[in-house]
Amino acid sequence: MTTQPHSTSPGTDPVSELRASFDGRVIAPEDAAYDAARAVFYGSRNRRPAAIVRAKDAADVSRVITLAREKGLELAVRSGGHSLAGHSVSEGGIVLDLSQMKWREINVEARTAWAETGLTAGEYTAAVGAHGLATGFGDTGSVGIGGITLGGGAGFLVRKHGLTIDSLLAAEIVTSGGELLCVDAETHPGLFWAIRGGGGNFGVATRFKFRLHEVDEIVGGMLILPATPDTIASFVAEAEAAPNELSTIANVMVAPPMPFFPAAAHGKLVIMALMAYAGEVEAGESAVAPFRSLAEPIADMVKPMRYPEMYGPDEPGPDEEVARSMFIDAVDVDVAGAIVEHLHASTAMMAVAQLRVLGGAMASVPDEATAFAHRKRRIMVALGAIFENREEETVHREWVENFAAALYQGESGVYVGFLGDEGEDRVRAAYPGTTWERLTAVKARYDPENLFSLNQNIPPKTGWS
Ligand SMILES: Cc1cc2nc3c(=O)[nH]c(=O)nc-3n(C[C@H](O)[C@H](O)[C@H](O)COP(=O)(O)OP(=O)(O)OC[C@H]3O[C@@H](n4cnc5c(N)ncnc54)[C@H](O)[C@@H]3O)c2cc1C
């Protein structure tokens, strides 16, 4: 399919123009559906766009892009709406909402799937999971495949099958000029390199083609252990020593009063770990055994299951949160001690240090192969505090910054998918080495006027096209 650039009528009110060409799929402030339509995962990203347009195909996407460009309106692109920085809703501009675009085509024999970017990770995983196949996304089913794929995508299969982008074979992208391009390793290779980690800077992805892996019955679920400096450090050591089939996400936190925690654990510091062994059940049980013997488990829900069950029911996002992410190289008992100390010191409703041991397939790809260039980083850390009252923000922000400073082990960058609204230096930290220069050159070619700027922004290289 080729989508040709459109043009709009000068001087007309953009919302009327949108309404005229998108019958019933434009939602503006006077419409009853407006508040629900502008809401994103994080309630505090409470912005009022001029209109939300629910695209149904690439031609719609092209029309919205053209209108935003010609009218000089800010354009927010939304797939699953989970941007930590609130980039998928604009104040006064247009939201291009892809959430209705959920077409997919699964080729079981070829082990590939085309999927539109309105699908969530959970929806895609359930669809391909019906065939005993999977592509790895993150730890949350409601995250959109649009945002997570373009950022990199680290989840339950990261050590076995790499990042989401390591399974990305091709994509359809509508550029700032409104043109639909099919990109892969041979066609527009520079753009294909850039969208594998460079985020939404280069165009709107309408479809992705993914490689599918045979991941059917796994050993997975949640293991809850008491958290002490020893158990935390040992957990990380075991996760590093584990076979690549096992990926873990350890959330160290004070146990909230939730039904799956025994009452005796409420208020105690725990490791709430999500474990996924993508391989034979027997080998999976052996791989999980060392974790079970680190301490008497508070709860052990790790069992043979079908892979899509790793995604629980969708939960609403928090209203207020401060977060900070980084890569580190080691969690010894001293680092684990600092984690315990800072979590105990938090006055937030919920405070968490999330530790993801990386390596395996993710690390086997060269840094320069994709725009995600943190391949050799060993542990991804995300620190966060959730609270109710915005007036407390300063206190929690200071806490999270001090916590990050205490864990700092030298400049090793940050994963763009876990960045909030943290300024230019932090965006640069997501793109180490020559990655940044290459990205600015690709940006200059495909989005020279920086239409796609409401994102972790990579400006176009000047004097370059
Ligand atoms: C609860 C939660 C859990 C998470 N867990 C993980 C995890 O385990 N692993 C991980 O890697 N990440 C994780 N993330 C981070 C997540 O990958 C990013 O926030 C991602 O951008 C969300 O994608 P989305 O489509 O839902 O978000 P959106 O807010 O819709 O999009 C975010 C940004 O991505 C760009 N974008 C989205 N779709 C498109 C598109 N189709 N074309 C062009 N640009 C687009 C836009 O710039 C947009 O502003 C998590 C985030 C949350 C909130």
Side-chain angles (χ1 to χ4, degrees):
M1 177 171 67
T2 309
T3 296
Q4 294 306 325
H6 300 267
S7 69
T8 60
S9 336
T12 349
D13 158 43
V15 176
S16 314
E17 201 164 321
L18 283 168
R19 282 203 200 277
S21 55
F22 284 91
D23 70 321
R25 288 177 291 113
V26 176
I27 303 160
E30 59 275 23
D31 296 322
Y34 179 71
D35 281 334
R38 72 189 173 91
V40 286
F41 182 75
Y42 288 101
S44 59
R45 317 312 186 228
N46 180 15
R47 301 192 188 122
R48 299 185 63 82
I52 299 116
V53 185
R54 292 193 166 144
K56 67 172 170 30
D57 55 24
D60 277 2
V61 169
S62 173
R63 285 216 296 273
V64 173
I65 289 174
T66 303
L67 184 125
R69 194 187 63 242
E70 293 184 352
K71 305 280 181 190
L73 287 166
E74 183 176 69
L75 182 64
V77 180
R78 181 194 306 173
S79 172
H82 281 54
S83 158
L84 277 69
H87 285 149
S88 38
V89 59
S90 154
E91 182 64 50
I94 299 179
V95 175
L96 172 54
D97 179 352
L98 304 166
S99 63
Q100 313 291 301
M101 292 175 50
K102 293 188 189 289
W103 168 88
R104 70 248 173 181
E105 189 173 80
I106 302 162
N107 187 332
V108 175
E109 284 71 41
R111 297 276 186 275
T112 58
W114 273 104
E116 280 189 334
T117 49
L119 288 162
T120 64
E123 289 166 342
Y124 173 96
T125 302
V128 299
H131 304 277
L133 302 170
T135 305
F137 293 97
D139 63 2
T140 301
S142 55
V143 165
I145 67 167
I148 193 168
T149 303
L150 296 169
F156 301 130
L157 301 177
V158 67
R159 284 163 56 86
K160 173 70 177 161
H161 293 300
L163 298 168
T164 306
I165 49 172
D166 300 332
S167 296
L168 186 68
L169 300 171
E172 289 184 1
I173 306 281
V174 184
T175 65
S176 60
E179 195 186 354
L180 179 69
L181 302 178
C182 192
V183 307
D184 61 20
E186 273 80 47
T187 318
H188 299 281
L191 181 55
F192 187 55
W193 170 84
I195 61 163
R196 286 176 291 160
N201 273 285
F202 311 97
V204 176
T206 51
R207 290 177 184 182
F208 294 130
K209 182 183 185 185
F210 292 111
R211 181 177 295 122
L212 292 166
H213 307 277
E214 280 175 53
V215 182
D216 194 3
E217 194 178 32
I218 64 157
V219 175
M222 194 187 287
L223 178 68
I224 303 176
L225 299 166
T228 64
D230 270 340
T231 59
I232 297 168
S234 304
F235 188 100
V236 170
E238 292 295 353
E240 289 194 306
N244 288 348
E245 280 74 14
L246 185 69
S247 298
T248 60
I249 301 178
N251 295 292
V252 187
M253 63 198 292
V254 172
M258 284 176 162
F260 50 81
F261 287 111
H266 294 172
K268 304 252 166 64
L269 204 63
V270 298
I271 304 173
M272 192 177 91
L274 292 166
M275 325 277 292
Y277 183 92
E280 296 297 320
V281 168
E282 208 176 313
E285 295 290 356
S286 309
V288 171
F291 296 86
R292 288 179 160 137
S293 42
L294 289 176
E296 178 70 30
I298 295 167
D300 184 350
M301 292 166 267
V302 180
K303 59 180 191 335
M305 60 159 72
R306 300 211 41 260
Y307 179 68
E309 292 172 45
M310 284 300 294
Y311 291 129
D314 291 349
E315 308 265 358
D319 276 345
E320 304 293 341
E321 185 187 55
V322 292
R324 194 84 178 168
S325 182
M326 64 211 286
F327 293 102
I328 60 175
D329 292 323
V331 176
D332 60 15
V333 177
D334 290 342
V335 174
I339 292 173
V340 169
E341 193 185 313
H342 282 83
L343 289 172
H344 276 313
S346 170
T347 56
M349 197 164 75
M350 191 184 279
V352 61
Q354 182 182 80
L355 306 172
R356 298 172 183 233
V357 167
L358 304 169
M362 168 187 151
S364 70
V365 176
D367 274 349
E368 61 281 4
T370 66
F372 179 102
H374 305 288
R375 299 288 181 166
K376 304 298 177 285
R377 301 279 73 87
R378 292 173 63 184
I379 301 163
M380 181 152 47
V381 179
L383 310 173
I386 291 173
F387 50 99
E388 272 175 323
N389 187 343
R390 183 164 293 185
E391 282 152 27
E392 294 171 25
E393 181 172 336
T394 316
V395 175
H396 301 305
R397 192 162 292 290
E398 201 177 319
W399 171 84
V400 86
E401 275 162 19
N402 288 338
F403 195 174
L407 300 189
Y408 184 75
Q409 294 174 359
E411 199 43 73
S412 63
V414 63
Y415 168 43
V416 74
F418 283 162
L419 269 183
D421 194 358
E422 299 176 33
E424 286 172 29
D425 288 353
R426 291 281 284 164
V427 181
R428 284 210 67 154
Y431 301 110
T434 54
T435 313
W436 178 260
E437 284 287 298
R438 278 179 80 180
L439 284 169
T440 59
V442 178
K443 177 79 171 179
R445 172 148 183 218
Y446 292 97
D447 183 20
E449 288 163 19
N450 205 1
L451 176 71
F452 304 112
S453 58
L454 190 60
N455 47 33
Q456 302 297 353
N457 196 235
I458 297 162
K461 190 170 190 163
T462 46
W464 190 274
S465 62

